[in-house]
Amino acid sequence: MQEMEFFDVKSKKKFKATEYRLVEKSGRNFIVAKAPSGSHECWRVVGKDVASKLKK
């Protein structure tokens, strides 16, 4: 998987991850990664072009 950048709201820091999953909710696409600073998840909105590349 390609490395993507996420923002951890709880620790207020950015981080990069290669382990994430694609989730579709209400017609929008998100990538979800586990936060390095705890057990919570960080979600990032992605466009249709990125989502279609990740589905392959």
Side-chain angles (χ1 to χ4, degrees):
M1 282 186 155
Q2 160 183 347
E3 187 174 64
M4 300 292 269
E5 193 170 82
F6 292 84
F7 183 75
D8 185 352
V9 177
K10 288 189 178 184
S11 69
K12 297 180 177 64
K13 292 182 181 175
K14 289 183 181 180
F15 68 95
K16 293 185 180 184
T18 54
E19 301 259 335
Y20 49 84
R21 69 183 191 279
L22 181 67
V23 177
E24 188 177 333
K25 260 190 165 176
S26 304
R28 296 185 82 181
N29 295 299
F30 301 89
I31 49 176
V32 184
K34 186 183 177 312
S37 63
S39 60
H40 57 282
E41 294 179 327
C42 298
W43 290 57
R44 176 181 167 180
V45 177
V46 292
K48 291 180 184 177
D49 55 337
V50 174
S52 65
K53 287 180 185 175
L54 292 174
K55 286 180 184 177
K56 292 182 182 178

